[in-house]
Amino acid sequence: SQTIHQWPATLVQPVGSPLSLECTVEGTSNPNLYWYRQAAGRGLQLLFYSVGIGQISSEVPQNLSASRPQDRQFILSSKKLLLSDSGFYLCAWSVLGNRNTEAFFGQGTRLTVV
Amino acid sequence: AQSVTQLDSQVPVFEEAPVELRCNYSSSVSVYLFWYVQYPNQGLQLLLKYLSGSTLVKGINGFEAEFNKSQTSFHLRKPSVHISDTAEYFCAVSDRGTGGFKTIFGAGTRLFVKA
């Protein structure tokens, strides 16, 4: 069966420090991968999605970047965190197909920038 | 461009009462529609989805939703809620034409079930 791992679960980082959040998927090949951010009291905002290795699409201009060095690995990064980067970050995956179009989510990383 | 509007940010309801969480979407193409539930500090879990066929979709935990193309709505309903249904619920839409690459979520509705 497919599983998705996202870590760390919580993170407190000072302003200006770098960030690296990692997400890996098991049990499927060539998944579509996503990073979402959920700010307090708001819905989920799609940050990045990837349809293959090295293929990253950015949805909104921001202080973050994403990379996909391997088929089932998706990394969210920042060189210098801002206070506004605080939020709940969710990684997700999906595959094409008539019956499997929903996204499956990791457990999330709560990032607090102080 | 697609968008999703969840009309209620919070819905308080007593246990065993019925509930409806409203969702409207806008899209110029055919879409897939979803409802997800999120418990505190956790990821999202799929409740149900509409891909095609019958407009009444049944999901887990006794929830159901009805796709109304003319009103571009996908409201979530449950005839009798439990305390354990307290959570945040998200409506989502993805573009059938692009194979669901972009799933857009609403702002969420927080359901409070009171004893």
Side-chain angles (χ1 to χ4, degrees), chain A residues 9-11 21 36-40 82-90 108-113:
Chain A
T10 60
L11 190 61
L21 303 182
Y36 288 88
R37 176 171 58 201
Q38 183 180 21
L82 306 173
L83 287 174
S84 58
D85 291 324
S86 292
F88 192 51
Y89 289 82
L90 288 160
T109 297
R110 183 160 301 282
L111 171 66
T112 304
V113 182

Side-chain angles (χ1 to χ4, degrees), chain A residues 34 36 38 98-99 102-103, chain B residues 36 38 49 51 100-101 103:
Chain A
Y34 311 84
Y36 288 88
Q38 183 180 21
N98 290 332
R99 310 307 298 177
E102 69 263 31
Chain B
Y36 288 84
Q38 184 184 34
K49 61 184 176 183
L51 304 180
F101 290 154
T103 300

Side-chain angles (χ1 to χ4, degrees), chain B:
Chain B
Q2 301 165 38
S3 67
V4 180
T5 302
Q6 290 184 244
L7 298 164
D8 305 296
S9 59
Q10 297 186 52
V11 174
V13 64
F14 285 103
E15 192 174 21
E16 298 183 6
V19 70
E20 178 180 82
L21 306 184
R22 296 179 293 170
C23 173
N24 287 88
Y25 69 93
S26 65
S27 176
S28 59
V29 298
S30 295
V31 295
Y32 301 122
L33 296 161
F34 309 87
W35 274 98
Y36 288 84
V37 60
Q38 184 184 34
Y39 299 100
N41 293 312
Q42 292 188 26
L44 276 68
Q45 179 184 5
L46 182 70
L47 275 179
L48 47 81
K49 61 184 176 183
Y50 171 79
L51 304 180
S52 63
S54 173
T55 57
L56 183 63
V57 180
K58 294 189 182 297
I60 63 172
N61 300 341
F63 284 93
E64 63 181 31
E66 186 161 15
F67 170 56
N68 188 318
K69 187 175 183 179
S70 63
Q71 297 185 8
T72 59
S73 67
F74 192 54
H75 301 332
L76 181 70
R77 302 186 184 98
K78 186 170 182 177
S80 175
V81 294
H82 303 288
I83 296 288
S84 59
D85 292 324
T86 295
E88 188 144 22
Y89 292 80
F90 291 93
C91 182
V93 58
S94 65
D95 183 347
R96 180 181 290 183
T98 62
F101 290 154
K102 299 184 189 180
T103 300
I104 306 300
F105 287 81
T109 297
R110 189 169 295 278
L111 176 63
F112 294 104
V113 181
K114 301 176 287 185

Side-chain angles (χ1 to χ4, degrees), chain A residues 61-99:
Chain A
Q62 59 205 310
N63 184 42
L64 302 167
S65 61
S67 61
R68 184 169 178 175
Q70 300 180 43
D71 181 45
R72 289 169 286 181
Q73 184 184 28
F74 205 25
I75 298 172
L76 184 69
S77 303
S78 174
K79 292 182 179 178
K80 290 185 177 182
L81 284 169
L82 306 173
L83 287 174
S84 58
D85 291 324
S86 292
F88 192 51
Y89 289 82
L90 288 160
C91 180
W93 69 273
S94 70
V95 293
L96 293 177
N98 290 332
R99 310 307 298 177

